[in-house]
Coordinates of all heavy atoms in Angstrom, one line a residue:
A1 N -23.5 -60.3 -143.0 CA -24.4 -60.6 -141.9 C -25.9 -60.4 -142.3 O -26.7 -61.0 -141.8 CB -24.1 -59.6 -140.7
S2 N -26.1 -59.6 -143.4 CA -27.4 -59.4 -143.8 C -28.0 -60.7 -144.5 O -29.2 -60.8 -144.6 CB -27.5 -58.2 -144.8 OG -26.7 -58.6 -146.0
Q3 N -27.2 -61.6 -144.9 CA -27.6 -62.8 -145.5 C -27.9 -63.9 -144.5 O -28.5 -65.0 -144.8 CB -26.6 -63.4 -146.5 CG -26.4 -62.4 -147.6 CD -25.2 -62.9 -148.5 OE1 -24.6 -63.9 -148.2 NE2 -25.0 -62.2 -149.6
L4 N -27.6 -63.7 -143.2 CA -27.9 -64.7 -142.2 C -29.3 -64.6 -141.7 O -29.9 -63.5 -141.7 CB -26.9 -64.5 -141.0 CG -25.5 -64.7 -141.2 CD1 -24.7 -64.3 -140.0 CD2 -25.2 -66.1 -141.6
P5 N -29.9 -65.7 -141.4 CA -31.3 -65.7 -140.9 C -31.3 -64.9 -139.5 O -30.4 -64.9 -138.8 CB -31.7 -67.1 -140.7 CG -30.4 -67.9 -140.7 CD -29.4 -67.1 -141.4
K6 N -32.5 -64.3 -139.2 CA -32.6 -63.6 -138.0 C -32.8 -64.6 -136.8 O -33.3 -65.7 -137.0 CB -33.8 -62.7 -138.0 CG -33.6 -61.6 -139.1 CD -34.5 -60.4 -138.8 CE -34.4 -59.4 -139.8 NZ -33.3 -58.5 -139.7
A7 N -32.3 -64.2 -135.7 CA -32.4 -65.0 -134.5 C -33.9 -65.0 -134.0 O -34.6 -64.1 -134.2 CB -31.5 -64.5 -133.4
L8 N -34.3 -66.1 -133.4 CA -35.7 -66.2 -132.9 C -35.5 -66.6 -131.4 O -34.8 -67.5 -131.0 CB -36.4 -67.3 -133.6 CG -37.8 -67.6 -133.1 CD1 -38.7 -66.5 -133.3 CD2 -38.3 -68.8 -133.8
E9 N -36.1 -65.8 -130.5 CA -36.1 -66.1 -129.1 C -37.4 -66.7 -128.7 O -38.4 -66.2 -129.0 CB -35.9 -64.8 -128.3 CG -35.7 -65.0 -126.8 CD -35.4 -63.7 -126.1 OE1 -34.8 -62.8 -126.7 OE2 -35.7 -63.7 -124.9
V10 N -37.3 -67.8 -127.9 CA -38.4 -68.6 -127.5 C -38.3 -68.8 -126.0 O -37.2 -69.2 -125.5 CB -38.5 -69.9 -128.2 CG1 -39.6 -70.8 -127.7 CG2 -38.6 -69.7 -129.7
L11 N -39.3 -68.6 -125.2 CA -39.3 -68.9 -123.8 C -40.2 -70.2 -123.6 O -41.3 -70.2 -123.9 CB -40.0 -67.7 -123.0 CG -40.2 -68.0 -121.5 CD1 -38.8 -68.2 -120.8 CD2 -40.9 -66.8 -120.9
L12 N -39.5 -71.2 -123.1 CA -40.2 -72.5 -122.9 C -40.6 -72.6 -121.4 O -39.8 -72.3 -120.6 CB -39.3 -73.6 -123.3 CG -38.9 -73.8 -124.7 CD1 -37.9 -74.9 -124.9 CD2 -40.1 -74.0 -125.6
K13 N -41.8 -73.0 -121.2 CA -42.3 -73.2 -119.8 C -42.1 -74.7 -119.5 O -41.9 -75.5 -120.4 CB -43.7 -72.8 -119.7 CG -43.9 -71.3 -120.0 CD -45.4 -71.0 -120.0 CE -45.6 -69.5 -120.4 NZ -46.9 -69.1 -120.6
P14 N -42.2 -75.0 -118.2 CA -42.0 -76.4 -117.8 C -42.9 -77.4 -118.6 O -44.1 -77.1 -118.8 CB -42.4 -76.5 -116.3 CG -42.1 -75.1 -115.9 CD -42.4 -74.2 -117.0
G15 N -42.4 -78.4 -119.2 CA -43.1 -79.4 -119.9 C -43.2 -79.1 -121.4 O -43.6 -79.9 -122.2
E16 N -42.7 -77.9 -121.8 CA -42.8 -77.6 -123.2 C -41.5 -78.0 -123.9 O -40.5 -78.2 -123.3 CB -43.0 -76.1 -123.4 CG -44.3 -75.6 -122.9 CD -44.5 -74.1 -123.2 OE1 -43.5 -73.4 -123.2 OE2 -45.7 -73.7 -123.3
M17 N -41.5 -78.1 -125.2 CA -40.3 -78.4 -126.0 C -40.3 -77.7 -127.3 O -41.3 -77.2 -127.8 CB -40.2 -79.9 -126.2 CG -41.1 -80.5 -127.3 SD -40.7 -82.2 -127.5 CE -41.9 -82.6 -128.8
A18 N -39.1 -77.5 -127.8 CA -38.9 -76.9 -129.1 C -38.3 -77.9 -130.1 O -37.4 -78.6 -129.7 CB -37.9 -75.7 -128.9
C19 N -38.8 -77.9 -131.3 CA -38.3 -78.8 -132.3 C -37.6 -77.9 -133.4 O -38.3 -76.9 -133.9 CB -39.4 -79.6 -133.0 SG -40.1 -80.8 -131.8
L20 N -36.4 -78.2 -133.8 CA -35.7 -77.4 -134.7 C -35.5 -78.2 -136.0 O -35.3 -79.4 -136.0 CB -34.3 -77.0 -134.2 CG -34.4 -76.2 -133.0 CD1 -33.2 -76.5 -132.0 CD2 -34.4 -74.7 -133.4
P21 N -35.5 -77.5 -137.2 CA -35.3 -78.2 -138.4 C -33.8 -78.6 -138.5 O -33.0 -78.1 -137.8 CB -35.6 -77.1 -139.5 CG -35.4 -75.8 -138.8 CD -35.7 -76.0 -137.3
A22 N -33.6 -79.5 -139.4 CA -32.2 -80.0 -139.7 C -31.3 -78.8 -140.0 O -31.7 -77.9 -140.7 CB -32.2 -81.0 -140.8
G23 N -30.1 -78.8 -139.3 CA -29.2 -77.8 -139.5 C -29.4 -76.6 -138.6 O -28.6 -75.6 -138.7
G24 N -30.5 -76.6 -137.8 CA -30.7 -75.5 -136.9 C -29.8 -75.4 -135.8 O -29.3 -76.5 -135.4
W25 N -29.5 -74.3 -135.3 CA -28.6 -74.1 -134.1 C -29.4 -73.6 -132.9 O -30.4 -72.9 -133.1 CB -27.5 -73.1 -134.4 CG -26.5 -73.7 -135.4 CD1 -26.6 -73.7 -136.8 CD2 -25.3 -74.3 -135.1 NE1 -25.5 -74.3 -137.3 CE2 -24.7 -74.7 -136.3 CE3 -24.7 -74.7 -133.9 CZ2 -23.5 -75.4 -136.3 CZ3 -23.5 -75.3 -133.9 CH2 -22.9 -75.7 -135.1
V26 N -29.0 -74.0 -131.8 CA -29.7 -73.5 -130.5 C -28.6 -73.0 -129.5 O -27.6 -73.6 -129.4 CB -30.6 -74.6 -130.0 CG1 -29.8 -75.8 -129.5 CG2 -31.4 -74.1 -128.8
Q27 N -29.0 -72.0 -128.8 CA -28.2 -71.5 -127.7 C -29.2 -71.3 -126.5 O -30.3 -70.7 -126.8 CB -27.5 -70.3 -128.0 CG -26.6 -69.8 -126.9 CD -25.8 -68.6 -127.3 OE1 -25.9 -68.1 -128.4 NE2 -24.9 -68.1 -126.4
S28 N -29.0 -71.9 -125.4 CA -30.0 -71.8 -124.3 C -29.4 -71.3 -123.0 O -28.2 -71.4 -122.8 CB -30.6 -73.2 -124.1 OG -29.6 -74.1 -123.7
Y29 N -30.3 -70.7 -122.3 CA -29.9 -70.1 -121.0 C -31.0 -70.5 -120.0 O -32.2 -70.6 -120.4 CB -29.8 -68.6 -121.0 CG -28.8 -68.1 -122.0 CD1 -29.2 -67.7 -123.3 CD2 -27.5 -67.9 -121.6 CE1 -28.2 -67.2 -124.2 CE2 -26.5 -67.5 -122.5 CZ -26.9 -67.1 -123.8 OH -26.0 -66.7 -124.6
A30 N -30.7 -70.6 -118.7 CA -31.6 -70.9 -117.7 C -31.5 -69.9 -116.6 O -30.4 -69.5 -116.2 CB -31.4 -72.3 -117.1
D31 N -32.6 -69.4 -116.1 CA -32.6 -68.4 -115.0 C -32.3 -69.0 -113.7 O -32.0 -68.3 -112.7 CB -33.9 -67.6 -115.0 CG -34.1 -66.7 -116.2 OD1 -33.0 -66.3 -116.8 OD2 -35.2 -66.5 -116.6
E32 N -32.6 -70.3 -113.6 CA -32.4 -71.0 -112.3 C -31.9 -72.5 -112.7 O -31.9 -72.8 -113.8 CB -33.7 -71.1 -111.5 CG -34.8 -71.7 -112.3 CD -36.2 -71.5 -111.6 OE1 -36.5 -70.4 -111.2 OE2 -36.9 -72.5 -111.5
A33 N -31.5 -73.2 -111.6 CA -31.0 -74.6 -111.9 C -32.1 -75.3 -112.6 O -33.3 -75.3 -112.3 CB -30.7 -75.2 -110.6
S34 N -31.7 -76.0 -113.7 CA -32.7 -76.8 -114.5 C -32.0 -77.9 -115.2 O -30.8 -78.0 -115.3 CB -33.4 -75.9 -115.5 OG -32.4 -75.4 -116.4
W35 N -32.8 -78.8 -115.8 CA -32.4 -79.9 -116.6 C -32.8 -79.7 -118.0 O -33.9 -79.2 -118.3 CB -33.0 -81.2 -116.1 CG -32.4 -81.8 -114.8 CD1 -32.7 -81.4 -113.6 CD2 -31.3 -82.7 -114.7 NE1 -31.9 -82.1 -112.7 CE2 -31.0 -82.8 -113.4 CE3 -30.5 -83.3 -115.6 CZ2 -30.0 -83.7 -112.9 CZ3 -29.5 -84.1 -115.2 CH2 -29.3 -84.3 -113.8
S36 N -31.9 -80.1 -118.9 CA -32.2 -80.0 -120.3 C -31.9 -81.3 -121.0 O -30.8 -81.9 -120.7 CB -31.4 -78.9 -120.9 OG -31.5 -78.8 -122.3
L37 N -32.7 -81.7 -121.9 CA -32.5 -82.9 -122.7 C -32.6 -82.5 -124.1 O -33.5 -81.9 -124.6 CB -33.6 -84.0 -122.4 CG -33.5 -85.2 -123.3 CD1 -32.2 -86.0 -123.0 CD2 -34.7 -86.1 -123.0
Q38 N -31.5 -82.8 -124.9 CA -31.5 -82.6 -126.3 C -31.2 -83.9 -127.0 O -30.4 -84.7 -126.6 CB -30.4 -81.5 -126.6 CG -30.7 -80.2 -125.9 CD -29.6 -79.2 -126.3 OE1 -28.8 -79.4 -127.2 NE2 -29.6 -78.1 -125.5
S39 N -31.9 -84.0 -128.1 CA -31.8 -85.2 -128.9 C -31.6 -84.8 -130.4 O -32.3 -83.9 -130.9 CB -33.0 -86.1 -128.8 OG -32.9 -87.2 -129.5
F40 N -30.7 -85.4 -131.0 CA -30.4 -85.1 -132.4 C -30.6 -86.4 -133.2 O -30.2 -87.5 -132.9 CB -29.0 -84.6 -132.7 CG -28.7 -83.3 -132.0 CD1 -28.1 -83.3 -130.7 CD2 -29.0 -82.1 -132.6 CE1 -27.8 -82.1 -130.1 CE2 -28.8 -80.9 -131.9 CZ -28.2 -80.9 -130.7
Y41 N -31.4 -86.3 -134.3 CA -31.5 -87.4 -135.2 C -30.7 -87.0 -136.4 O -30.9 -86.1 -137.1 CB -33.0 -87.6 -135.6 CG -33.8 -88.0 -134.5 CD1 -34.5 -87.0 -133.7 CD2 -33.8 -89.3 -134.1 CE1 -35.2 -87.4 -132.6 CE2 -34.6 -89.7 -132.9 CZ -35.3 -88.7 -132.2 OH -36.0 -89.1 -131.1
A42 N -29.6 -87.8 -136.7 CA -28.7 -87.4 -137.7 C -28.4 -88.5 -138.6 O -28.2 -89.7 -138.2 CB -27.4 -86.9 -137.1
N43 N -28.3 -88.2 -139.9 CA -27.8 -89.3 -140.8 C -26.3 -89.3 -140.7 O -25.7 -88.5 -139.9 CB -28.2 -88.9 -142.3 CG -27.8 -87.6 -142.7 OD1 -26.8 -87.0 -142.3 ND2 -28.5 -87.0 -143.7
S44 N -25.6 -90.2 -141.5 CA -24.1 -90.3 -141.3 C -23.4 -89.0 -141.6 O -22.4 -88.7 -140.9 CB -23.6 -91.5 -142.1 OG -23.9 -91.2 -143.5
R45 N -23.8 -88.3 -142.6 CA -23.1 -87.0 -142.9 C -23.3 -86.0 -141.8 O -22.4 -85.3 -141.3 CB -23.7 -86.4 -144.2 CG -23.0 -85.2 -144.7 CD -23.5 -84.8 -146.1 NE -23.4 -83.3 -146.1 CZ -24.5 -82.6 -146.2 NH1 -25.7 -83.1 -146.3 NH2 -24.4 -81.3 -146.2
G46 N -24.5 -85.9 -141.2 CA -24.8 -85.0 -140.1 C -24.1 -85.4 -138.9 O -23.6 -84.6 -138.1
L47 N -24.0 -86.7 -138.6 CA -23.4 -87.3 -137.4 C -21.9 -86.9 -137.5 O -21.3 -86.5 -136.5 CB -23.5 -88.8 -137.3 CG -22.8 -89.4 -136.2 CD1 -23.3 -88.9 -134.8 CD2 -22.9 -90.9 -136.2
N48 N -21.3 -87.0 -138.7 CA -19.8 -86.7 -138.8 C -19.6 -85.2 -138.5 O -18.6 -84.9 -137.8 CB -19.3 -87.1 -140.2 CG -19.1 -88.6 -140.3 OD1 -18.9 -89.3 -139.3 ND2 -19.3 -89.1 -141.5
R49 N -20.5 -84.4 -139.0 CA -20.3 -82.9 -138.7 C -20.5 -82.6 -137.2 O -19.8 -81.8 -136.7 CB -21.4 -82.1 -139.5 CG -21.0 -82.0 -141.0 CD -21.9 -81.1 -141.8 NE -22.9 -80.4 -141.1 CZ -24.2 -80.3 -141.5 NH1 -24.5 -80.6 -142.7 NH2 -25.1 -79.7 -140.8
I50 N -21.5 -83.3 -136.6 CA -21.7 -83.1 -135.2 C -20.4 -83.5 -134.4 O -20.0 -82.8 -133.5 CB -22.9 -83.8 -134.7 CG1 -24.2 -83.2 -135.3 CG2 -23.0 -83.9 -133.2 CD1 -25.4 -84.0 -135.2
L51 N -20.0 -84.7 -134.7 CA -18.8 -85.2 -133.9 C -17.5 -84.4 -134.2 O -16.7 -84.2 -133.3 CB -18.6 -86.7 -134.2 CG -19.7 -87.6 -133.8 CD1 -19.4 -89.1 -134.2 CD2 -19.9 -87.5 -132.3
E52 N -17.3 -83.9 -135.4 CA -16.2 -83.0 -135.7 C -16.3 -81.8 -134.9 O -15.3 -81.2 -134.3 CB -16.2 -82.7 -137.2 CG -15.7 -83.8 -138.0 CD -15.9 -83.5 -139.6 OE1 -16.2 -82.4 -139.9 OE2 -15.7 -84.5 -140.3
A53 N -17.5 -81.2 -134.7 CA -17.7 -80.0 -133.9 C -17.5 -80.3 -132.4 O -16.8 -79.4 -131.7 CB -19.2 -79.5 -134.1
V54 N -17.9 -81.4 -132.0 CA -17.6 -81.8 -130.5 C -16.1 -81.9 -130.3 O -15.6 -81.4 -129.3 CB -18.3 -83.2 -130.2 CG1 -17.8 -83.8 -128.9 CG2 -19.8 -83.0 -130.1
L55 N -15.4 -82.6 -131.2 CA -14.0 -82.7 -131.1 C -13.3 -81.3 -131.2 O -12.3 -81.1 -130.4 CB -13.4 -83.7 -132.1 CG -13.8 -85.1 -131.9 CD1 -13.4 -86.0 -133.1 CD2 -13.2 -85.7 -130.6
A56 N -13.7 -80.5 -132.0 CA -13.1 -79.2 -132.2 C -13.3 -78.3 -130.9 O -12.4 -77.6 -130.5 CB -13.6 -78.5 -133.5
H57 N -14.5 -78.4 -130.5 CA -14.9 -77.6 -129.2 C -14.1 -78.1 -128.0 O -13.7 -77.3 -127.2 CB -16.4 -77.8 -128.9 CG -16.8 -77.0 -127.7 ND1 -16.9 -75.6 -127.7 CD2 -17.1 -77.4 -126.5 CE1 -17.3 -75.3 -126.5 NE2 -17.4 -76.3 -125.7
A58 N -13.8 -79.4 -128.0 CA -13.0 -79.9 -126.9 C -11.5 -79.7 -127.1 O -10.7 -80.0 -126.2 CB -13.2 -81.4 -126.7
G59 N -11.1 -79.1 -128.2 CA -9.7 -78.9 -128.5 C -8.9 -80.1 -128.8 O -7.7 -80.2 -128.7
Q60 N -9.6 -81.2 -129.3 CA -9.0 -82.4 -129.7 C -8.3 -82.2 -131.0 O -8.9 -82.1 -132.0 CB -10.0 -83.5 -129.7 CG -9.5 -84.9 -130.3 CD -8.6 -85.6 -129.2 OE1 -8.7 -85.3 -128.1 NE2 -7.7 -86.4 -129.8
K61 N -7.0 -82.2 -131.0 CA -6.2 -82.0 -132.2 C -5.6 -83.2 -132.7 O -5.3 -83.4 -133.9 CB -5.2 -80.9 -132.0 CG -5.8 -79.5 -131.7 CD -4.8 -78.4 -131.6 CE -5.4 -77.1 -131.6 NZ -5.8 -76.6 -130.4
E62 N -5.3 -84.2 -131.8 CA -4.6 -85.4 -132.2 C -5.6 -86.3 -133.0 O -6.8 -86.3 -132.6 CB -4.1 -86.2 -131.0 CG -3.1 -85.4 -130.1 CD -3.8 -84.6 -129.0 OE1 -4.9 -85.0 -128.6 OE2 -3.3 -83.5 -128.7
E63 N -5.1 -87.0 -133.9 CA -6.0 -87.9 -134.7 C -6.3 -89.1 -133.9 O -5.5 -89.6 -133.1 CB -5.3 -88.3 -136.0 CG -6.2 -89.2 -136.9 CD -5.5 -89.5 -138.2 OE1 -4.7 -88.7 -138.7 OE2 -5.8 -90.6 -138.7
I64 N -7.6 -89.6 -133.9 CA -8.0 -90.8 -133.2 C -7.7 -92.0 -134.2 O -8.3 -92.0 -135.3 CB -9.4 -90.8 -132.8 CG1 -9.6 -89.6 -131.8 CG2 -9.9 -92.1 -132.2 CD1 -11.1 -89.3 -131.5
F65 N -6.9 -92.9 -133.8 CA -6.5 -94.0 -134.7 C -7.7 -94.8 -135.2 O -8.5 -95.2 -134.4 CB -5.5 -94.9 -133.9 CG -5.1 -96.1 -134.8 CD1 -4.1 -95.9 -135.7 CD2 -5.6 -97.3 -134.6 CE1 -3.7 -97.0 -136.5 CE2 -5.2 -98.4 -135.4 CZ -4.2 -98.2 -136.4
G66 N -7.8 -94.9 -136.5 CA -8.8 -95.7 -137.1 C -10.2 -95.1 -137.1 O -11.2 -95.7 -137.4
Y67 N -10.3 -93.8 -136.7 CA -11.6 -93.2 -136.4 C -12.5 -93.2 -137.7 O -13.7 -93.5 -137.6 CB -11.3 -91.7 -136.0 CG -12.6 -90.9 -135.7 CD1 -13.3 -91.1 -134.5 CD2 -13.1 -90.0 -136.6 CE1 -14.5 -90.4 -134.3 CE2 -14.2 -89.3 -136.3 CZ -14.9 -89.5 -135.2 OH -16.0 -88.7 -134.9
S68 N -11.9 -92.8 -138.8 CA -12.7 -92.7 -140.1 C -13.3 -94.0 -140.5 O -14.3 -94.1 -141.2 CB -11.9 -92.1 -141.2 OG -10.8 -93.0 -141.5
S69 N -12.8 -95.2 -140.1 CA -13.3 -96.5 -140.5 C -14.2 -97.1 -139.5 O -14.8 -98.2 -139.7 CB -12.2 -97.5 -140.8 OG -11.4 -97.7 -139.7
L70 N -14.5 -96.4 -138.3 CA -15.3 -96.9 -137.3 C -16.8 -96.9 -137.7 O -17.2 -95.9 -138.4 CB -15.2 -96.2 -136.0 CG -13.8 -96.3 -135.3 CD1 -13.8 -95.3 -134.1 CD2 -13.6 -97.7 -134.8
P71 N -17.6 -97.8 -137.2 CA -19.1 -97.7 -137.5 C -19.6 -96.5 -136.6 O -19.0 -96.1 -135.7 CB -19.6 -99.0 -137.0 CG -18.6 -99.6 -136.1 CD -17.3 -99.0 -136.5
P72 N -20.8 -96.0 -136.9 CA -21.3 -94.8 -136.3 C -21.3 -94.9 -134.7 O -20.9 -93.9 -134.1 CB -22.8 -94.7 -136.8 CG -22.7 -95.3 -138.1 CD -21.7 -96.5 -138.0
Q73 N -21.8 -96.0 -134.1 CA -21.8 -96.0 -132.7 C -20.4 -96.0 -132.0 O -20.2 -95.3 -131.0 CB -22.6 -97.3 -132.2 CG -22.8 -97.3 -130.7 CD -23.7 -98.5 -130.3 OE1 -24.2 -99.3 -131.1 NE2 -23.8 -98.7 -129.0
A74 N -19.5 -96.6 -132.7 CA -18.1 -96.6 -132.2 C -17.5 -95.2 -132.4 O -16.7 -94.7 -131.5 CB -17.3 -97.6 -132.9
K75 N -17.9 -94.5 -133.4 CA -17.4 -93.1 -133.6 C -17.9 -92.2 -132.5 O -17.1 -91.4 -132.0 CB -17.9 -92.5 -135.0 CG -17.0 -92.8 -136.1 CD -17.5 -92.1 -137.3 CE -16.5 -92.4 -138.5 NZ -16.9 -91.7 -139.7
V76 N -19.2 -92.3 -132.2 CA -19.7 -91.6 -131.1 C -19.0 -91.8 -129.8 O -18.6 -90.9 -129.1 CB -21.3 -91.8 -130.9 CG1 -21.8 -91.2 -129.6 CG2 -22.0 -91.4 -132.1
E77 N -18.7 -93.1 -129.5 CA -18.0 -93.5 -128.3 C -16.6 -92.9 -128.3 O -16.2 -92.3 -127.3 CB -17.9 -95.0 -128.2 CG -17.2 -95.6 -127.1 CD -18.0 -95.7 -125.8 OE1 -19.3 -95.7 -125.9 OE2 -17.4 -95.9 -124.7
A78 N -15.9 -93.0 -129.4 CA -14.6 -92.5 -129.5 C -14.5 -91.0 -129.4 O -13.7 -90.4 -128.6 CB -13.9 -92.9 -130.8
A79 N -15.4 -90.3 -130.0 CA -15.4 -88.8 -130.0 C -15.8 -88.3 -128.6 O -15.1 -87.4 -128.1 CB -16.4 -88.2 -131.0
L80 N -16.8 -88.9 -127.9 CA -17.2 -88.5 -126.6 C -16.1 -88.8 -125.6 O -15.8 -88.0 -124.7 CB -18.5 -89.1 -126.2 CG -19.7 -88.6 -126.9 CD1 -21.0 -89.3 -126.4 CD2 -19.9 -87.1 -126.7
S81 N -15.4 -90.0 -125.7 CA -14.3 -90.4 -124.8 C -13.2 -89.4 -125.0 O -12.6 -89.0 -124.0 CB -13.9 -91.8 -125.1 OG -14.9 -92.7 -124.8
A82 N -12.9 -89.0 -126.2 CA -11.7 -88.1 -126.4 C -12.1 -86.7 -125.9 O -11.3 -86.1 -125.2 CB -11.4 -88.0 -127.9
A83 N -13.3 -86.2 -126.1 CA -13.7 -84.9 -125.6 C -13.8 -84.9 -124.1 O -13.3 -83.9 -123.5 CB -15.1 -84.5 -126.2
L84 N -14.4 -85.9 -123.5 CA -14.5 -85.9 -122.1 C -13.1 -86.2 -121.4 O -12.9 -85.8 -120.2 CB -15.5 -87.0 -121.6 CG -16.9 -86.7 -122.0 CD1 -17.8 -88.0 -121.7 CD2 -17.5 -85.5 -121.2
G85 N -12.2 -86.8 -122.1 CA -10.9 -87.1 -121.6 C -10.0 -85.9 -121.4 O -9.0 -85.9 -120.7
R86 N -10.3 -84.8 -122.1 CA -9.5 -83.6 -122.0 C -9.5 -83.1 -120.6 O -10.5 -82.8 -120.0 CB -10.0 -82.5 -122.9 CG -10.2 -82.9 -124.4 CD -8.9 -83.1 -125.2 NE -8.2 -81.8 -125.3 CZ -7.0 -81.7 -125.7 NH1 -6.3 -82.8 -126.1 NH2 -6.4 -80.6 -125.9
G87 N -8.4 -83.1 -119.9 CA -8.3 -82.7 -118.6 C -8.7 -83.8 -117.5 O -8.7 -83.6 -116.3
H88 N -9.0 -85.0 -118.0 CA -9.4 -86.1 -117.1 C -8.5 -87.4 -117.4 O -9.1 -88.5 -117.4 CB -10.9 -86.4 -117.3 CG -11.8 -85.3 -116.8 ND1 -12.0 -85.1 -115.5 CD2 -12.4 -84.4 -117.5 CE1 -12.8 -84.1 -115.3 NE2 -13.1 -83.6 -116.6
G89 N -7.3 -87.2 -117.8 CA -6.4 -88.4 -118.0 C -6.4 -88.9 -119.4 O -6.1 -90.1 -119.6
G90 N -6.8 -88.1 -120.4 CA -6.8 -88.5 -121.7 C -8.0 -89.4 -122.1 O -9.0 -89.5 -121.5
F91 N -7.7 -90.2 -123.2 CA -8.8 -91.0 -123.8 C -9.4 -92.0 -122.8 O -10.6 -92.1 -122.7 CB -8.2 -91.7 -125.1 CG -9.3 -92.3 -125.9 CD1 -10.0 -91.6 -126.8 CD2 -9.5 -93.7 -125.9 CE1 -11.0 -92.1 -127.6 CE2 -10.4 -94.3 -126.7 CZ -11.2 -93.5 -127.5
S92 N -8.5 -92.7 -122.1 CA -9.0 -93.7 -121.1 C -9.8 -93.0 -120.0 O -10.8 -93.6 -119.5 CB -7.9 -94.6 -120.6 OG -6.9 -93.8 -119.9
G93 N -9.3 -91.8 -119.6 CA -10.1 -91.1 -118.6 C -11.4 -90.6 -119.1 O -12.4 -90.6 -118.3
G94 N -11.5 -90.3 -120.4 CA -12.8 -90.0 -121.0 C -13.7 -91.1 -121.0 O -14.9 -91.0 -120.8
R95 N -13.2 -92.3 -121.2 CA -14.1 -93.5 -121.2 C -14.6 -93.8 -119.8 O -15.8 -94.1 -119.6 CB -13.3 -94.8 -121.6 CG -13.1 -94.8 -123.1 CD -12.5 -96.2 -123.5 NE -12.2 -96.3 -124.9 CZ -13.0 -96.6 -125.9 NH1 -14.2 -96.9 -125.6 NH2 -12.6 -96.6 -127.1
S96 N -13.8 -93.5 -118.8 CA -14.3 -93.5 -117.4 C -15.4 -92.6 -117.1 O -16.4 -92.9 -116.4 CB -13.1 -93.3 -116.4 OG -12.2 -94.3 -116.5
V97 N -15.2 -91.3 -117.5 CA -16.2 -90.3 -117.3 C -17.5 -90.7 -118.0 O -18.6 -90.6 -117.5 CB -15.7 -88.9 -117.8 CG1 -16.8 -87.9 -117.8 CG2 -14.5 -88.4 -117.0
L98 N -17.4 -91.2 -119.3 CA -18.6 -91.6 -120.0 C -19.3 -92.7 -119.3 O -20.5 -92.8 -119.2 CB -18.1 -91.9 -121.4 CG -19.2 -92.2 -122.5 CD1 -20.2 -91.0 -122.6 CD2 -18.6 -92.5 -123.8
A99 N -18.5 -93.7 -118.8 CA -19.1 -94.8 -118.1 C -19.9 -94.3 -116.8 O -21.0 -94.9 -116.5 CB -18.1 -95.9 -117.7
R100 N -19.3 -93.4 -116.1 CA -19.9 -92.9 -114.9 C -21.2 -92.1 -115.3 O -22.2 -92.3 -114.6 CB -19.0 -91.9 -114.2 CG -18.0 -92.7 -113.3 CD -17.3 -91.7 -112.4 NE -16.6 -90.6 -113.2 CZ -15.4 -90.4 -113.2 NH1 -14.5 -91.1 -112.5 NH2 -14.9 -89.4 -113.9
L101 N -21.2 -91.4 -116.4 CA -22.4 -90.7 -116.8 C -23.5 -91.7 -117.2 O -24.7 -91.5 -116.9 CB -22.1 -89.8 -118.0 CG -21.3 -88.5 -117.7 CD1 -20.9 -87.8 -119.0 CD2 -22.1 -87.6 -116.8
R102 N -23.1 -92.7 -117.9 CA -24.1 -93.7 -118.3 C -24.7 -94.5 -117.1 O -25.8 -94.8 -117.1 CB -23.5 -94.8 -119.3 CG -23.2 -94.2 -120.6 CD -22.8 -95.2 -121.6 NE -22.7 -94.6 -122.9 CZ -21.8 -94.8 -123.8 NH1 -20.8 -95.6 -123.5 NH2 -21.8 -94.3 -125.0
S103 N -23.9 -94.7 -116.1 CA -24.4 -95.4 -114.8 C -25.4 -94.5 -114.1 O -26.3 -95.1 -113.5 CB -23.2 -95.7 -113.9 OG -22.7 -94.5 -113.3
L104 N -25.4 -93.2 -114.3 CA -26.4 -92.4 -113.7 C -27.8 -92.5 -114.3 O -28.8 -92.2 -113.7 CB -26.0 -90.9 -113.8 CG -24.7 -90.5 -113.1 CD1 -24.3 -89.0 -113.4 CD2 -24.9 -90.7 -111.6
D105 N -27.8 -93.1 -115.5 CA -29.0 -93.2 -116.3 C -29.7 -94.6 -116.0 O -30.7 -94.8 -116.5 CB -28.7 -93.2 -117.8 CG -29.9 -93.0 -118.6 OD1 -30.9 -92.4 -118.1 OD2 -30.0 -93.6 -119.8
R106 N -29.1 -95.4 -115.1 CA -29.7 -96.7 -114.8 C -30.6 -96.6 -113.7 O -30.6 -95.9 -112.8 CB -28.6 -97.7 -114.6 CG -27.8 -97.9 -115.9 CD -26.8 -99.0 -115.7 NE -25.9 -98.9 -116.9 CZ -24.7 -99.2 -116.9 NH1 -24.0 -99.5 -115.8 NH2 -24.0 -99.1 -118.0

């Protein structure tokens, strides 16, 4: 534990933002109802690590057919559909949840 970097606590006020270096981790809390937008700029190696973490967090243990050969955008779609589909009717249910989320952005 002595080799790990120390945690840094930051309080953001409305309209402020925090930028983290590549490989940085964030854990956030809100004292009241709030909205949060997070954006990651990832190269293909970083994207694969992010998507693997999403799938692991969702408990996705089954292999997604052809996943490793998909282009980046299709990998994101497949990983999010699989993660969102847990408890919502599987992979196709995840695609429905993802489509509903995207419709809210229009």
